[in-house]
């Protein structure tokens, strides 16, 4: 399985060349996160449906539907509704759940949410904590995002993990990565089985592609 997960939050009608590059790379990707409208939106988007179909035909990458969990404040029924829409409209394989707390206090909520996600067809479940996560979450997820932040912060010592590290594979999401850097090597050294590293900065770094997928358009 590839080590590169791609969350790309741009519309295919606006950035067709970039989506073409993602589809072409799909056989060597770990996964692609679909995020039409901070979730699936209120109705199917034909452009995203077309891209999802091309990704499935290309094979390799798992297609993950984005859903915001609001650090446990968003109702589980709303999150599961989003995941069911992703499945029905875009044929997703799993879910990328964003804004997940790192501590154990809300684990029971996420355990129930994970069970509900599996029940609506999520074969792969990614939890984005963005920082070191309590190992309990490894019992319900296939991949834990335990770092999300800028390259300069990633190069510094990371926060200490919880006393016993999670058993689920870890993913690190990096932005502001300059050309010529070696994010893959540093991710391996920091114990991440999966990563993404993009050049973008500011409020919307995930509107840029990893250097290895960049287009010339």
């Amino acid at each position: 399985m590839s080590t590169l997960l791609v969350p790309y939050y741009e519309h295919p009608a606006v950035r067709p060349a970039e989506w073409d590059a993602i589809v072409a790379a799909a056989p060597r990707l770990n996964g692609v996160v679909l995020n039409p409208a901070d979730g699936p939106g209120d109705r199917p988007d034909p452009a995203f449906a077309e891209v999802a179909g091309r990704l499935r035909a290309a094979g390799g990458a798992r297609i993950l539907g984005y859903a915001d969990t609001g650090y446990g404040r968003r109702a589980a029924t709303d999150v599961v509704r989003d995941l069911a829409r992703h499945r029905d409209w875009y044929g997703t394989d799993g879910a990328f759940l964003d804004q997940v707390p790192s501590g154990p206090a809300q684990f029971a909520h996420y355990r129930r949410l994970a069970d509900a996600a599996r029940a609506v067809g999520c074969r792969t479940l990614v939890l984005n904590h963005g920082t070191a996560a309590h190992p309990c979450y490894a019992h319900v997820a296939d991949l834990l995002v335990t770092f999300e932040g800028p390259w300069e912060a990633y190069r510094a010592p990371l926060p200490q993990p919880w006393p016993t590290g999670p058993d689920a594979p870890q993913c690190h999401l990096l932005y502001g990565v300059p050309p010529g850097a070696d994010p893959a090597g540093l991710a391996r050294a920091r114990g991440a089985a999966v990563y993404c590293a993009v050049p973008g900065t500011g409020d919307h770094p995930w509107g840029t592609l990893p250097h290895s997928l960049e287009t010339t358009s």
Side-chain angles (χ1 to χ4, degrees), residues 54-76:
R54 291 169 61 201
L55 286 168
R56 284 193 300 275
R62 292 171 287 192
I63 306 173
L64 307 175
Y66 175 95
D68 183 3
T69 72
Y71 297 103
R73 294 186 297 270
R74 190 169 181 231

Side-chain angles (χ1 to χ4, degrees), residues 11 36 40-49 85 88-90:
H11 197 278
D42 295 328
R43 60 186 61 82
D45 185 316
F48 272 98
R85 286 176 172 178
D88 294 343
W89 297 346
Y90 308 117

Side-chain angles (χ1 to χ4, degrees), residues 30-122:
N30 179 282
V32 177
V33 182
L34 292 189
N35 187 11
D38 290 330
D42 295 328
R43 60 186 61 82
D45 185 316
F48 272 98
E50 191 267 344
V51 159
R54 291 169 61 201
L55 286 168
R56 284 193 300 275
R62 292 171 287 192
I63 306 173
L64 307 175
Y66 175 95
D68 183 3
T69 72
Y71 297 103
R73 294 186 297 270
R74 190 169 181 231
T77 51
D78 291 341
V79 176
V80 174
R81 179 199 61 204
D82 281 357
L83 301 183
R85 286 176 172 178
H86 277 301
R87 176 204 62 201
D88 294 343
W89 297 346
Y90 308 117
T92 52
D93 306 299
F96 182 93
L97 300 186
D98 200 12
Q99 299 200 90
V100 179
S102 59
Q106 297 198 65
F107 172 67
H109 170 79
Y110 282 89
R111 180 174 56 198
R112 292 190 296 271
L113 184 54
D115 289 343
R118 306 283 188 194
V120 297
C122 292

Side-chain angles (χ1 to χ4, degrees), residues 173-199:
L173 302 179
L174 322 173
Y175 52 82
V177 180
D182 181 22
L186 188 53
R188 284 194 301 270
R190 294 195 181 282
V194 179
Y195 78 102
C196 186
V198 301

Side-chain angles (χ1 to χ4, degrees), residues 2 13 15 18-19 28-29 55-56 69 95-96 99 103 112 124 130-131 133 148 150 168 170 173 193-194 199 206-207:
S2 169
R15 303 290 186 195
E18 286 77 0
W19 276 106
R28 56 187 177 88
L29 299 180
L55 286 168
R56 284 193 300 275
T69 72
F96 182 93
Q99 299 200 90
R112 292 190 296 271
T124 299
T131 189
E148 181 178 359
Q170 297 182 56
L173 302 179
V194 179
W206 306 114

